[in-house]
Amino acid sequence: MQTGGGLVHRPSNPTSSGESRLTALIEIERLTKRFAGFTAVDDVSFAVARGEVLGFLGPNGAGKSTTMRMLAGFLPPTSGTARIAGADIQAQPVAAKSALGFLPEGAPAYPDMTVTGFLSFTGRIRGFAGAALREKVAQAMAMTELDSVRLQPIETLSKGFKRRVGLAQALLHDPPVLILDEPTDGLDPNQKHEVRGLIRRMAPDKAIIISTHILEEVAAVCTRAIVIARGRVVADATPTALAGRGPDLDTVFRDLTLGQGAA
Amino acid sequence: MRAALVIAARELAAYFATPVASVFIVIFLILAGTLTFTIGNFFNRGQADLQPFFGFVPWLFLFLVPALTMRLWAEERRLGTIELLFTLPIEPWQAVVGKFLAAWMFCAIALALTFPLWLTVNALGEPDNGVILAGYIGCLLVAGVYLAVGAAVSALTRNQVIAFVLAVSLCFLLTATGSPIVTEFLSDRLPALAEIARGLSVTERFLDFTRGLISLPNLVYFASCIGFALFANAAVLEHRRAA
């Protein structure tokens, strides 16, 4: 996977106005999740259109993973709902999940399975069989550069490879919606560069949400950034606009997540 | 059902990819064999049947099956793969049934590997092979009940030791309520409960199978035990997902 700078094309940046709502592949409406004693996600609403790469930012414990888990249908929301490619996550969970590629936090996978075995398993669950299955698995492995370890058990792989196995699993069925929880965590700088290139290449056809706390990543791959703190959306802008609010992105992030609204 | 079978195939392969399979099968075969030939008095009874073997199987399963099921959901939680599994486009019951079928198939393989006993008894005499077949079916159904109960308990707790102890206790309750000690005790003091206890127990129904009797009420009993436990399993998973 060569990601020479020239190949990278930035998707045009759709406005987050009513126009993009029409083509929104991810629609979140007043999503709220309360656990015993605290509210992890508090009345969050936004939409992501085809072609958008949304950077989901926030300090640890801000509600990023909880929001993503609800979108992926793992946690039921306390109130509010969301639609993935038009399918309601609660009323039509299987349809919503079919349209979704999800990389859970920490990229979990069955340790005793080989890379090929694991990807074939998720492919079979998604309804592929025979030659079509083999082709999808080969494609996903090529995109994430897993060919060299295809017959190795996942437990023997390095952190970077494991992350890419999770990514391959999310991409396998070429879903219109991708939700990736910290896709570059644990990767070395070269691998980070490759994964960002991969996300950029897929961006034009998909709606993508990636969570991260690496701010440079947002500037590098995202067309839009949402900052979440204490379960609430505190900023929703392009990375450039966000950085323009202060001397640099780091300072803006600190001000947004520590400063206002703390009281 | 297709997704359930895909999950079952993965699970079954996982048993054999780890030492779980070999340890379980070897221990089961050693215990079943030695108990049958020593305490079971296989040779000196002078009868060509597998009664001594069938008598021990539920008691062996009582400890071995919960060892198999204790990791069923706890392991998915520990590895975080439960998040992967339940964000794939499947219904929760498909995962529950898939895991159960794999474990059941595994028990069937372990039971099938006791075939040398069957060969022995056929070499020594002329047993009623229909009765033996019914006995094996009974063993498999008892394993099914224990598995379904153990799987549901495993969904309740992250802790595998707790899952094991709880599953053994529940399965013991299902087995012991039909034993003469308990039924006699109850019919002396609480006759009303004695009938209920006997009705809930797997013991007498299993004995019918070992005598070669396959009756519809018994089949319904085993099917509803398994069905109820699997339903409880799915309900527990759903409930814990919300927390």
Side-chain angles (χ1 to χ4, degrees), chain B residues 39-211:
Chain B
I39 304 173
N41 211 6
F42 180 77
F43 288 123
N44 295 333
R45 292 170 75 238
Q47 284 184 43
D49 61 22
L50 286 182
Q51 289 304 332
F53 166 67
F54 289 136
F56 289 118
V57 167
W59 298 100
L60 288 178
F61 278 164
L62 184 58
F63 290 97
L64 290 175
V65 165
L68 208 59
T69 55
M70 69 179 190
R71 46 168 285 288
L72 225 51
W73 294 106
E75 188 78 351
E76 295 267 359
R77 284 215 178 85
R78 194 178 65 78
L79 295 170
T81 43
I82 191 158
E83 193 169 341
L84 181 92
L85 192 60
F86 286 120
T87 52
L88 288 171
I90 53 164
E91 305 278 356
W93 68 263
Q94 292 173 315
V96 171
V97 170
K99 275 181 177 285
F100 169 75
L101 284 181
W104 211 15
M105 190 65 209
F106 182 75
C107 286
I109 293 171
L111 274 174
L113 287 175
T114 61
F115 72 91
L117 285 175
W118 175 73
L119 291 180
T120 309
V121 84
N122 271 282
L124 295 176
E126 284 180 0
D128 184 337
N129 281 320
V131 173
I132 290 177
L133 182 65
Y136 270 110
I137 291 172
C139 290
L140 201 55
L141 289 172
V142 170
V145 171
Y146 290 177
L147 281 172
V149 168
V153 169
S154 161
L156 273 173
T157 171
R158 226 173 236 279
N159 188 315
Q160 304 202 7
V161 177
I162 294 177
F164 177 78
V165 174
L166 275 181
V168 171
S169 312
L170 280 177
C171 294
F172 179 74
L173 214 61
L174 276 177
T175 310
T177 46
S179 73
I181 304 170
V182 176
T183 46
E184 276 163 29
F185 174 84
L186 284 176
S187 46
D188 283 351
R189 281 150 226 218
L190 294 160
L193 272 180
E195 272 314 296
I196 298 173
R198 192 180 296 187
L200 281 174
S201 165
V202 298
T203 315
E204 278 188 33
R205 299 173 193 275
F206 172 68
L207 282 178
D208 283 352
F209 278 92
T210 63
R211 290 184 204 113

Side-chain angles (χ1 to χ4, degrees), chain A residues 51-138:
Chain A
E52 274 192 298
V53 181
L54 177 78
F56 207 38
L57 290 164
N60 288 332
K64 297 190 299 285
S65 289
T66 306
T67 306
M68 291 178 138
R69 281 182 178 146
M70 284 193 281
L71 288 178
F74 181 64
L75 282 177
T78 310
S79 67
T81 193
R83 281 181 293 281
I84 304 287
D88 189 285
I89 55 165
Q90 296 189 87
Q92 306 142 276
V94 174
K97 287 168 184 174
S98 301
L100 173 72
F102 178 53
L103 173 69
E105 187 180 17
Y110 296 104
D112 44 82
M113 296 182 95
T114 64
V115 173
T116 318
F118 176 69
L119 294 177
S120 305
F121 165 68
T122 62
R124 266 189 213 105
I125 291 264
R126 292 187 181 279
F128 297 106
L133 176 68
R134 281 192 294 278
E135 195 192 311
K136 288 284 176 193
V137 170

